[in-house]
Amino acid sequence: MQAFTRLTALAVPLDLPNVDTDRIVPARFLSKPRGPECARFLFHDLRFRPDGAERADFVLNQPAYRGAGILVAAANFGCGSSREMAVWVLEAYGIRAVIAPSLGDIFHQNCFKNGLLPVLLPEAAVADLRRQLHERPGVSLTVDLPAQTVTMPGGDAARFEIDGFRKQLLLAGRDEIDLTLGYEARIREFEERQRSAMPWLSERYRV
Amino acid sequence: MPAATMFEKIWARHVVAEAPGGHVLLYVDRHLVHEGGTRALARLEAAGRRLRRPDLTFATADHYVLTSPGAVATDPEIRAMIDALARHSREQGITYFGLGDERRGIVHVVGPEQGWTLPGVTLVCGDSHTSTHGAFGALAFGIGSTEVTHVMATQTLWQAKPRAMRVSVEGQLSFGVTAKDVILALIARIGAGGATGHVIEYAGAAIRTMSMAERMTVCNMSIEAGARAGMVAPDETTFAYLEGRPFAPSGEHWLRALEDWRTLPTEPGAVFDREVALDGGELAPTVSWGTSPQDALPITAYLPDPLDFGDPVRRQGVSRALSYMGLRPGLPLDGIPVDRVFIGSCTNSRLEDLRIAARVVQGRRAMVPAWVVPGSGLIKRQAEAEGLDRVFREAGFEWREPGCSMCVGMNGEVAREGERVASTSNRNFEGRQGRGARTHLMSPAMAAAAAVAGRLTDVRAWGG
Ligand code: SF4
């Protein structure tokens, strides 16, 4: 996994609430291989018309926001399906941080597994941030994970909270499986205890 | 010890280790896999790892398999994925219900049907509607692909403890009102993000009197309110459903399990982080009108007007949803013409759902193309034994093979651009049932009535 420390990048505002993962990446692309080519699938049906031409009114198609690295979204961004492809297409496009008042739980988890930093800030602060980005298209924000701050276009910094466990893994770019394999003895102990207390959970099943 | 909720008890008995910062390593008792898990299996193989507990892992093919009679998968990319799932399952020793196996079906239908889903277990699957299994008093939630690989390699997950919410549905549902209406009304009330970060426990008289199929419908859509999971305390209804199922414990183990399961329910006086109450007796058949499951209203209501909303974001959202749906503000929901009907999905494709729909359809004709897609091969066979397929066919419905089908259209079974679908599935997102397709969510009874009326209609006027 890619580590995350500090990022200064062009930011794009997306005002729609409840943007579901079907909208982030439509289901018909889910069998496609993961890789740089899947950048095109990001917000596909919002970005492109059925004939493949760009929709000029979609924010990412406006010249000032093209190639953004930070997405400033509205409430409940990433709700719906568990598809991790939603994170992969954001990443393929070059987005490394999503700032929102709230995120769909599974999407939120999936961000952490891929080195994409989810930043939660109060609703009013995010709305204000989106307004500033509309007023001054093309400005950059700085997201600093060690300091847990987002620096606004005006220079003010907002502090965000993040779980310490997730923060350390992100900073180190550490793969969780490697971490967990270090707990093998504990897992085996747990299994032995469970097998005697609840033998029905691992009985040999009739198939 | 303070009084504990069912969720807390199940959580506590699965903690393997604690990390600083409140995360715990949680043991996973049951792992369900569908075609989407093929990527994770491939990563496991590439890393040279074995599946840690194949005996706790179960796979079936549902999302990508075609549901046309006799058909399997014509697209080579999809065919390769299904073949890969079969191969990995064989090599890793996973129990797999594949093509040609009558037990194959939608993963959230098959798990319970086989007795694989049990009270008190932690159960995960790379699919958000894993919340369905909570109907048995299990802690069941959806995970992403990287987490799927993690479970395969370690049989555990790092998790932060969610908060607990109780939704009490008191009273008795009136004629024509079903579990689907309860959950749609709840989501409309608390919003699509209303339960984010929470595990919901459904309680109250209206839940207690529900069958397992109905409880599954309710728990299934917990995720549409943003909840991590939904659960119902196990009781005699649960035990009667499970007893004798192929993968349920038997003999001595069954008795020991029962004894344990009776200790699971939330203790009196246990405190939830949040409480919500719904009066079941007040509910009416409910349909969605917009592009989020929270956009739902009783069938007797009128479409909202964006101008009625003070909040500009909400106003814009309503206006956008109406425009995508091709609807005008103020129109009555009852009477909106539909182009297509879909009865299926992990929300509503169980035998009871099909029986209810068939009762409405009996002796009538579908005015628009209508599909019935049973949740599993066993449900299909049982429905045929009861003659339900004949009822549907005689009414002009298509009776299809089991799978996810038009709930998500990954297999290519989609509605056309602009088509309005009365659907028993769980998501009315833009493009969910096909690019530009317009979805109205509702119960099987309401969808059946929409098929024979050719429009959204109040099923209570059609004999419920
Ligand atoms: S039926 Fe629909 S919601 Fe359920 S698992 Fe299949 S695609 Fe997902």
Side-chain angles (χ1 to χ4, degrees):
Chain A
M1 183 181 87
Q2 213 179 341
F4 191 105
T5 45
R6 237 170 250 102
L7 169 73
T8 298
L10 174 63
V12 58
L14 186 65
D15 296 333
L16 289 171
N18 300 317
V19 171
D20 54 76
T21 53
D22 275 78
R23 257 198 277 196
I24 301 174
V25 55
R28 61 186 185 279
F29 300 126
L30 296 187
S31 56
K32 302 284 179 216
R34 178 185 176 182
E37 322 76 53
C38 58
R40 190 178 159 86
F41 306 145
L42 174 65
F43 298 127
H44 187 278
D45 296 350
L46 293 170
R47 263 165 84 202
F48 304 104
R49 292 203 310 245
D51 65 4
E54 282 188 357
R55 292 181 198 272
D57 59 350
F58 185 64
V59 68
L60 267 188
N61 290 334
Q62 292 164 18
Y65 299 114
R66 239 173 236 279
I70 298 173
L71 177 70
V72 183
N76 206 23
F77 182 82
C79 61
S81 135
S82 62
R83 60 191 68 173
E84 198 160 321
M85 188 84 153
V87 175
W88 300 338
V89 295
L90 282 161
E91 200 184 37
Y93 183 88
I95 290 179
R96 293 290 320 279
V98 174
I99 303 173
S102 55
L103 294 167
D105 280 334
I106 307 176
F107 175 82
H108 196 171
Q109 289 304 313
N110 288 341
C111 286
F112 287 121
K113 316 290 161 162
N114 292 278
L116 193 148
L117 177 66
V119 175
L120 296 185
L121 287 174
E123 182 116 37
V126 182
D128 188 52
L129 185 52
R130 288 199 309 270
R131 189 183 46 74
Q132 293 187 48
L133 296 175
H134 282 297
E135 283 168 9
R136 300 168 59 191
V139 298
S140 290
L141 299 178
T142 297
V143 182
D144 186 324
L145 179 57
Q148 295 180 215
T149 55
V150 178
T151 309
M152 308 292 173
D156 294 347
R159 194 183 151 76
F160 63 88
E161 293 305 322
I162 186 166
D163 176 275
F165 175 76
R166 292 282 164 224
K167 179 177 175 179
Q168 291 314 317
L169 287 176
L170 270 177
L171 287 172
R174 185 150 186 218
D175 178 60
E176 268 180 41
I177 294 184
D178 291 338
L179 171 75
T180 311
L181 290 176
Y183 286 82
E184 176 59 25
R186 301 284 294 274
I187 299 173
R188 216 165 321 122
E189 246 171 65
F190 177 93
E191 284 175 329
E192 276 158 27
R193 237 180 311 131
Q194 197 195 44
R195 194 169 297 130
S196 59
M198 298 176 199
W200 63 88
L201 289 177
S202 48
E203 84 178 25
R204 283 315 296 179
Y205 295 103
R206 294 163 272 143
V207 181
Chain B
M1 280 281 276
T5 65
M6 171 168 60
F7 157 65
E8 282 166 338
K9 292 186 216 183
I10 298 175
W11 179 271
R13 48 160 84 169
H14 289 91
V15 173
V16 174
E18 289 179 42
H23 267 73
V24 304
L25 192 61
L26 201 67
Y27 196 76
V28 173
D29 297 327
R30 296 285 184 269
H31 186 195
L32 304 181
V33 177
H34 56 87
E35 298 98 311
T38 313
R39 266 186 221 271
L41 283 161
R43 276 198 300 271
L44 199 72
E45 184 176 58
R49 294 198 165 107
R50 294 290 302 172
L51 189 70
R52 196 171 188 289
R53 292 293 302 268
D55 58 325
L56 303 184
T57 314
F58 163 83
T60 190
D62 53 6
H63 283 66
Y64 286 93
V65 180
L66 291 175
T67 65
S68 36
V72 180
T74 43
D75 179 284
E77 214 169 64
I78 289 178
R79 182 73 215 208
M81 189 191 302
I82 297 171
D83 289 346
L85 180 59
R87 176 180 66 81
H88 285 296
S89 295
R90 206 169 45 241
E91 288 173 6
Q92 298 277 8
I94 303 171
T95 301
Y96 172 60
F97 293 171
L99 303 175
D101 189 324
E102 205 183 19
R103 299 167 299 176
R104 187 187 64 77
I106 305 174
V107 68
H108 308 310
V109 172
V110 172
E113 184 175 76
Q114 292 293 327
W116 181 258
T117 307
L118 298 175
V121 301
T122 45
L123 181 153
V124 301
C125 172
D127 188 280
S128 59
H129 291 99
T130 306
S131 58
T132 313
H133 307 263
F136 291 80
L139 177 60
F141 52 92
I143 56 177
S145 182
T146 303
E147 290 185 307
V148 168
T149 312
H150 191 276
V151 175
M152 287 173 171
T154 70
Q155 204 58 32
T156 62
L157 274 175
W158 288 102
Q159 293 284 307
K161 192 175 176 185
R163 287 184 292 274
M165 178 193 278
R166 176 160 55 193
V167 172
S168 306
V169 190
E170 297 297 348
Q172 204 188 340
L173 305 185
S174 51
F175 169 75
V177 180
T178 67
K180 184 65 163 282
D181 304 298
V182 171
I183 190 65
L184 284 172
L186 174 71
I187 300 163
R189 159 87 92 76
I190 67 175
T196 302
H198 291 77
V199 167
I200 300 177
E201 178 175 340
Y202 299 96
I207 302 291
R208 291 261 68 87
T209 50
M210 282 183 183
S211 67
M212 290 316 297
E214 293 171 301
R215 293 177 189 182
M216 285 189 255
T217 299
V218 172
C219 288
N220 173 275
M221 287 189 71
S222 303
I223 180 74
E224 309 312 331
R228 194 92 183 90
M231 30 191 3
V232 174
D235 58 12
E236 296 310 316
T237 305
T238 321
F239 309 146
Y241 177 99
L242 284 173
E243 191 168 10
R245 302 238 166 213
F247 288 79
S250 54
E252 168 73 11
H253 281 175
W254 171 255
L255 297 175
R256 280 184 72 177
L258 268 187
E259 203 179 308
D260 177 65
W261 295 342
R262 292 190 206 280
T263 69
L264 288 172
T266 294
E267 291 156 16
V271 179
F272 288 79
D273 298 291
R274 211 175 139 202
E275 297 261 9
V276 174
L278 278 189
D279 182 348
E282 295 278 284
L283 302 177
T286 301
V287 296
S288 74
W289 55 265
T291 55
S292 162
Q294 71 180 11
D295 301 336
L297 286 167
I299 182 68
T300 48
Y302 293 79
L303 290 169
D305 189 331
L307 297 176
D308 295 342
F309 295 86
D311 169 28
V313 173
R314 186 79 187 112
R315 193 184 318 137
Q316 197 194 356
V318 170
S319 157
R320 189 192 161 88
L322 285 173
S323 129
Y324 178 86
M325 294 297 290
L327 296 169
R328 281 198 322 278
L331 226 58
L333 271 166
D334 195 329
I336 294 174
V338 300
D339 305 305
R340 192 178 262 290
V341 172
F342 173 69
I343 297 176
S345 90
C346 57
T347 316
N348 284 123
S349 63
R350 298 183 180 82
L351 190 59
E352 279 176 45
D353 298 315
L354 307 187
R355 284 183 187 144
I356 289 170
R359 238 182 357 251
V360 175
V361 163
Q362 177 100 53
R364 296 182 168 125
R365 285 291 304 172
M367 308 286 286
V368 293
W371 287 12
V372 183
V373 182
S376 74
L378 294 180
I379 291 173
K380 179 168 183 268
R381 186 176 66 186
Q382 180 59 31
E384 287 170 355
E386 295 180 15
L388 303 184
D389 61 321
R390 246 192 359 264
V391 172
F392 286 118
R393 283 205 177 100
E394 280 167 15
F397 282 65
E398 266 189 50
W399 176 251
R400 300 179 66 94
E401 296 297 318
C404 295
S405 185
M406 207 182 280
C407 171
V408 68
M410 283 185 195
N411 62 354
E413 292 169 1
V414 291
R416 278 194 291 275
E417 174 114 32
E419 266 188 337
R420 185 177 305 287
V421 191
S423 178
T424 66
S425 55
N426 42 53
R427 287 189 172 139
N428 52 344
F429 299 156
E430 283 185 22
R432 172 77 178 184
Q433 294 192 293
R435 189 171 188 165
R438 296 159 168 163
T439 306
H440 292 274
L441 304 174
M442 62 196 76
S443 70
M446 286 286 285
V452 295
R455 55 187 163 79
L456 301 185
T457 182
D458 192 334
V459 67
R460 293 173 296 190
W462 296 74

